[in-house]
Amino acid sequence: MRHRQLRRFNLETKMPKILVVEDEPLLLILACDIVQELGFDFLGANNADDAVKILEEYPEVRILMTDIDMPGSMDGLKLAVTVRERWPLVHIVVVSGKQRPGRRDLPEESVFFPKPYDVGHLSETLVRMAA
């Protein structure tokens, strides 16, 4: 199996913040490492409730990357819908290793990646969203 090399982007350009929401600590670290390797600033949350608080505090967040299955008052799909309604300019990436949501289950203009996700494809998507 061939691994794709991640390109490091120029950190001098102002990259948007990405909020990563994942309840599994190791997967949160992995996702944040991917985001950081691309040169993005990132914030992490373990559940949707914390994610909403972060979005309220950090208006510069431009991309949400959220798992679907997590504890709390809402899952990642409900979080994605809430973000689309309250922060319409935030790009949304939904990931899951258990669910495969249909297009109608996702908010408009969001993307889905099954776990384990293809790091190269995910990276390209994040960079495209940030452009």
Side-chain angles (χ1 to χ4, degrees):
M1 180 165 71
R2 212 174 127 197
H3 295 281
R4 291 177 117 177
Q5 284 264 353
L6 293 179
R7 292 181 291 160
R8 191 167 240 329
F9 293 86
N10 186 347
L11 292 175
E12 293 176 10
T13 60
K14 185 67 175 162
M15 297 299 274
K17 281 193 185 334
I18 296 179
L19 173 56
V20 180
V21 187
E22 172 64 64
D23 65 317
E24 296 291 333
L26 291 177
L27 295 178
L28 177 61
I29 291 168
L30 172 66
C32 289
D33 283 349
I34 292 167
V35 168
Q36 185 177 34
E37 182 67 26
L38 290 169
F40 291 108
D41 289 331
F42 67 89
L43 298 161
N46 297 76
N47 59 58
D49 299 315
D50 289 345
V52 169
K53 289 176 189 171
I54 289 170
L55 286 162
E56 290 171 343
E57 187 174 340
Y58 294 92
E60 65 270 23
V61 171
R62 291 292 168 247
I63 301 171
L64 168 73
M65 180 176 163
T66 184
D67 187 25
I68 293 176
D69 297 302
M70 61 185 144
S73 66
M74 63 180 120
D75 66 12
L77 289 175
K78 289 179 184 169
L79 172 62
V81 169
T82 299
V83 169
R84 177 57 66 236
E85 290 171 357
R86 291 185 61 187
W87 297 278
L89 298 179
V90 172
H91 298 281
I92 300 171
V93 176
V94 177
V95 301
S96 181
K98 298 176 184 171
Q99 296 188 40
R100 298 290 185 268
R103 196 65 225 144
R104 291 182 175 183
D105 299 321
L106 297 170
E108 190 174 318
E109 297 183 33
S110 63
V111 296
F112 173 75
F113 283 90
K115 289 181 187 175
Y117 33 76
D118 176 324
V119 174
H121 188 215
L122 175 63
S123 298
E124 290 168 5
T125 300
L126 293 174
V127 169
R128 180 179 43 77
M129 288 178 162

